[in-house]
């Protein structure tokens, strides 16, 4: 992979709600009215105005994305995307890829230069981490190649185990050209 691209992708372990970036991505559900996991953490920290704005949006289909303000977060925006519930056979990979692409597209439309993603669908929605990681990284690399305006994409993993999966995949990918 070309070094310029490598510099635009970072992998970190931590809490996405702590990040100072233009936008964080929320692994939401189709109602956009909050839930558990990263969704709950984002709503708790952003404050009640986030729920009011989400109510006005009126939901989001799986694979699509919607943007709101970040309210009490350090991030200026929240991009809410709805990952697929994992099924062994079916269109889960396409839908997960759509989540990354549509989130990045919204970022460009809103002049967002720095954006952080959690491991979408890898909690309650049951997506196997290694498969999801490949989709996340490959889709992002393709997108960044065509869209120079995005300066930094951070993949932020809550657990050490998931952080290691991303780090392993990313380093093998970048060594293989
Ligand atoms: P989904 O319903 O899409 O599976 P979850 O919120 O259940 O979404 O989980 C998605 C991933 O986000 C999981 O790997 C979970 O460990 C992680 N996660 C939970 N809270 C946070 C947080 N505050 N920051 C970053 N990642 C988080």
């Amino acid at each position: 992979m070309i070094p310029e691209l490598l510099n635009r992708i970072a992998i970190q372990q931590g809490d996405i709600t702590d990040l100072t970036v233009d936008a964080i991505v929320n692994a939401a559900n189709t109602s956009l009215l909050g839930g558990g996991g990263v969704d709950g953490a984002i709503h708790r920290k952003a404050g009640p105005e986030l729920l009011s704005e989400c109510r006005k949006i009126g939901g989001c289909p799986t694979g699509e994305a919607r943007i709101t303000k970040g309210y009490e977060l350090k991030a200026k925006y929240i991009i809410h995307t709805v990952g697929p519930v994992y099924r062994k056979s079916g269109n889960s990979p396409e839908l997960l890829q759509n989540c990354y692409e549509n989130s990045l597209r919204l970022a460009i439309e809103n002049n967002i230069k720095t954006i952080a993603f959690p491991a979408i669908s890898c909690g309650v929605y049951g997506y196997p981490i290694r498969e999801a990681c490949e989709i996340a990284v490959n889709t992002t690399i393709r997108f960044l190649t065509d869209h120079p305006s995005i300066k930094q994409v951070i993949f932020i993993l809550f657990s050490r185990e998931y952080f290691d999966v991303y780090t392993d995949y990313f380093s093998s990918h970048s060594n293989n050209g």
Side-chain angles (χ1 to χ4, degrees), residues 68-132:
T68 65
K69 287 188 264 183
Y71 297 99
E72 304 295 317
L73 293 174
K74 289 181 215 145
K76 186 170 181 205
Y77 296 105
I78 303 164
I79 293 176
H80 307 260
T81 189
V82 182
V85 176
Y86 179 71
R87 310 227 187 283
K88 264 208 171 67
S89 56
N91 58 351
S92 300
E94 288 79 8
L95 289 171
L96 189 59
Q97 182 176 323
N98 291 348
C99 288
Y100 286 92
E101 273 174 10
N102 288 325
S103 297
L104 290 165
R105 252 180 248 294
L106 262 187
I108 296 218
E109 285 166 22
N110 289 276
N111 203 24
I112 286 161
K113 313 273 185 221
T114 56
I115 179 171
F117 283 96
I120 299 164
S121 285
C122 294
V124 174
Y125 284 3
Y127 218 105
I129 183 66
R130 170 74 189 201
E131 289 172 42

Side-chain angles (χ1 to χ4, degrees), residues 23-87:
I24 64 168
V25 176
N26 181 17
N29 56 50
T30 53
S31 76
L32 294 188
L33 298 181
V38 71
D39 197 5
I42 289 171
H43 273 268
R44 271 194 300 280
K45 206 141 173 189
E49 283 176 295
L50 173 59
L51 188 56
S52 306
E53 187 176 355
C54 285
R55 279 217 177 87
K56 289 184 197 134
I57 297 173
C60 176
T62 303
E64 294 191 16
R66 302 287 185 267
I67 192 164
T68 65
K69 287 188 264 183
Y71 297 99
E72 304 295 317
L73 293 174
K74 289 181 215 145
K76 186 170 181 205
Y77 296 105
I78 303 164
I79 293 176
H80 307 260
T81 189
V82 182
V85 176
Y86 179 71
R87 310 227 187 283

Side-chain angles (χ1 to χ4, degrees), residues 2-22:
I2 54 170
E4 186 272 333
L5 260 180
L6 278 178
N7 292 336
R8 290 160 69 203
I9 296 176
I11 297 166
Q12 294 178 13
Q13 187 186 353
D15 183 337
I16 200 167
T17 64
D18 290 334
L19 293 183
T20 305
V21 284
D22 295 338

